[in-house]
Amino acid sequence: EDFLIIPRHSSSNRPYIPVGFLDENYIALDSCQIIADATLYDFAIMTSVIHNDWMRTTCGRLGEGYRYSNTLVYNNFVWPKTSAKQKQEVEKLAQNILDIRETHFNMTLGQMYNNTTMPQDLKDAHHALDLAVDALYRTKPFEDANDRIEHLFSLYEQAIAAESNLKG
């Protein structure tokens, strides 16, 4: 089955954690975390700027780098509600990112996602995906990372309140 692979530790010199989208021919090492049965939609959300902003806010640190945690980052991230058409749109954009990565076969993911060496076509593809994923959360564009985080925490508070109402 396809799966996402997320490095447990990642440099703060990266605008995005280099999430991989792999198939059954690969084995993940303990230096990574995986999301089994992953789809292109899952990859799109996980590699988007809004998820990366959330990660930078909620993750642990190892030196100046990020330490991705399934319990702190992934499990508390509020996924957008989407239609089938919206999912299809972001899946196309996600596939475009994967296709562009293939054209840079001479670079590692670490090099592709380094601030100083990230290829322009990959930056542009991520920007297009970021705009589409942001629009899944609200129609008004976000001003910056802080605006995204405020919105996500508001959604998180709503989700916690709804869960508390179900229990109580």
Side-chain angles (χ1 to χ4, degrees):
E1 61 190 33
D2 293 339
F3 65 97
L4 293 182
I5 187 165
I6 304 151
R8 288 186 193 272
H9 303 105
S10 188
S11 171
S12 59
N13 291 327
R14 295 184 176 130
Y16 305 91
I17 290 180
V19 175
F21 188 56
L22 303 172
D23 61 29
E24 72 277 355
N25 294 312
Y26 293 89
I27 297 173
L29 300 175
D30 66 350
S31 61
C32 299
Q33 297 184 35
I34 67 163
I35 298 172
D37 271 339
T39 66
L40 274 173
Y41 176 73
D42 299 323
F43 173 78
I45 300 300
M46 296 293 292
T47 196
S48 69
V49 71
I50 198 165
H51 182 263
N52 278 269
D53 286 345
W54 178 260
M55 178 275 307
R56 282 186 279 277
T57 303
T58 61
C59 76
R61 299 281 196 268
L62 186 61
E64 291 185 24
Y66 304 122
R67 184 175 186 147
Y68 195 93
S69 164
N70 63 329
T71 54
L72 294 175
V73 181
Y74 181 80
N75 290 347
N76 295 311
F77 181 72
V78 181
W79 288 63
K81 294 180 175 82
T82 59
S83 68
K85 182 180 178 184
Q86 289 171 315
K87 276 188 177 182
Q88 201 172 37
E89 180 184 331
V90 296
E91 285 174 342
K92 281 184 192 175
L93 295 167
Q95 185 60 58
N96 187 45
I97 287 171
L98 293 171
D99 292 344
I100 289 169
R101 285 180 179 184
E102 289 293 318
T103 68
H104 297 286
F105 57 87
N106 57 330
M107 298 176 80
T108 66
L109 276 179
Q111 292 167 329
M112 280 186 237
Y113 284 90
N114 182 295
N115 272 335
T116 59
T117 57
M118 187 174 190
Q120 188 61 48
D121 56 349
L122 187 57
K123 285 181 188 178
D124 294 343
H126 269 283
H127 181 69
L129 176 68
D130 293 340
L131 293 174
V133 171
D134 280 358
L136 298 176
Y137 284 91
R138 69 180 197 195
T139 54
K140 179 185 174 193
F142 292 103
E143 292 178 27
D144 56 19
N146 289 333
D147 194 18
R148 281 187 204 89
I149 293 303
E150 281 182 29
H151 186 74
L152 286 173
F153 272 112
S154 174
L155 294 175
Y156 178 77
E157 288 171 2
Q158 292 170 30
I160 294 299
E163 186 177 312
S164 294
N165 289 338
L166 290 175
K167 289 180 181 178

